[in-house]
Amino acid sequence: IDITGDFNKSDSYRVKINRSIEAQNGLKLVGSYDEKVQFEHLQNSMAIPSYSTAQLSKGQRKYPIETVNMKELRVRVKALDLSQAVRAKHGFNQFLKNQAQENGNRRVKRTPIPYSLITGKTVHDAVYRLDNKIDTSKTLVLDWDKILPENRDNMIFFLDVEGTAKDKVSDKSRGLHHVQTFIQLTDIGLSWKISEQETLLYCYSCETGKPLS
C-alpha cells in the first residue's frame, strides 16, 4: 500500500484497512488494521563552517549559518581588542579541548562559553526571524559589510549565535541552541619552509600576491 499526499497539514493520522481487502495473489488479511500514525518533526539544529576560521578580507565577506526548524536566531558579534585577541582565542580553544576530554572525545552537544567572558566590544546584536516551513532548512547569510563597522576591512571577532526552535518541534529538542566561532578577516597570507638550520617565513597580500614589507 502506497499512501501519498500533503502530510504537512496534520501531524497525526488514523490508518484503517478493512480485512476484506484482497491482494492480487488472492491472499487476505488475518484481521482489520486500525492504528494511529504520528509524524515526528525533524530535530531543530544549527551549523556553522567551523569553530575557528579565517576569511579573505577582500573576498565575498559573507558567512553562512545553516538551520533546520529554527524560528529565530540572535546573532551577536564582538570585536576583539588586538592586545587580548591571542589570549581570548587560546582560552576558547582550551575551553573546547576541556569539553572534548571530559566527554572522551565523543561527539556531544557543546556547552557555549559565556559571551561576557570574551573581552571586546559588541558591534552587532540583532534577532533574525526565519519564515521557512516546518521540516525545511534555511540558510542565513551574514554580510560583513552590513554588520561590521565601516572601514574595518581587517578584523578579528567572536561570533555567537543563539537559536530558538519552531513552535511545532517536540519538547525534547526545544530550547535554546548555540553555535560560536572566532573569525579573522585578513588579507595576509603565509607560507613557510623549515630546515634543520633555519625557518623561512613568507608574508604576502592575498589580494595582490606581493610580499609584505
Side-chain angles (χ1 to χ4, degrees):
I1 297 176
D2 185 15
I3 302 175
T4 60
D6 183 6
F7 296 109
N8 286 326
K9 293 182 178 180
S10 177
D11 299 332
S12 179
Y13 294 86
R14 193 167 198 89
V15 178
K16 296 182 179 181
I17 303 176
N18 194 288
R19 63 177 300 179
S20 63
I21 294 180
E22 187 176 296
Q24 289 183 343
N25 60 5
L27 294 177
K28 295 183 179 180
L29 296 175
V30 176
S32 296
Y33 179 87
D34 187 350
E35 293 288 343
K36 181 181 179 180
V37 178
Q38 183 79 27
F39 287 91
E40 293 187 1
H41 293 295
L42 297 174
Q43 183 176 354
N44 55 308
S45 62
M46 295 188 299
I48 53 178
S50 69
Y51 292 108
S52 178
T53 188
Q55 288 185 305
L56 296 179
S57 60
K58 304 298 183 180
Q60 294 184 350
R61 298 176 63 84
K62 290 180 172 55
Y63 191 82
I65 303 173
E66 304 292 343
T67 73
V68 174
N69 281 350
M70 303 303 295
K71 179 171 66 175
E72 62 183 24
L73 305 181
R74 183 188 182 188
V75 177
R76 290 183 291 181
V77 177
K78 180 173 286 189
L80 301 184
D81 185 336
L82 294 181
S83 63
Q84 299 294 326
V86 174
R87 179 178 297 179
K89 180 66 171 56
H90 177 74
F92 182 69
N93 288 344
Q94 190 64 43
F95 181 81
L96 297 179
K97 181 179 179 180
N98 291 342
Q99 286 194 53
Q101 291 177 343
E102 291 174 1
N103 295 290
N105 291 318
R106 293 180 290 110
R107 294 187 65 183
V108 295
K109 183 178 179 181
R110 295 179 183 271
T111 301
I113 189 171
Y115 183 78
S116 59
L117 290 184
I118 303 298
T119 57
K121 178 182 179 182
T122 297
V123 295
H124 183 75
D125 187 348
V127 174
Y128 297 82
R129 290 177 173 79
L130 308 178
D131 57 359
N132 57 307
K133 294 182 179 180
I134 192 75
D135 289 340
T136 62
S137 62
K138 178 81 171 183
T139 302
L140 175 65
V141 179
L142 302 179
D143 188 335
W144 299 136
D145 289 331
K146 297 179 180 179
I147 290 177
L148 301 179
E150 295 183 3
N151 302 321
R152 293 295 299 272
D153 290 341
N154 304 303
M155 188 176 180
I156 182 169
F157 52 89
F158 179 67
L159 173 67
D160 177 272
V161 184
E162 182 181 88
T164 304
K166 289 186 180 296
D167 296 333
K168 288 187 176 182
V169 177
S170 61
D171 291 338
K172 62 181 180 181
S173 62
R174 287 183 58 80
L176 296 178
H177 291 251
H178 264 93
V179 289
Q180 298 173 323
T181 184
F182 273 87
I183 299 177
Q184 182 181 14
L185 292 177
T186 179
D187 181 53
I188 299 176
L190 297 175
S191 62
W192 57 89
K193 184 176 181 180
I194 302 176
S195 67
E196 295 181 356
Q197 292 77 28
E198 62 182 6
T199 297
L200 174 64
L201 181 64
Y202 179 67
C203 303
Y204 59 93
S205 166
C206 291
E207 181 184 21
T208 64
K210 295 181 179 179
L212 300 176
S213 57

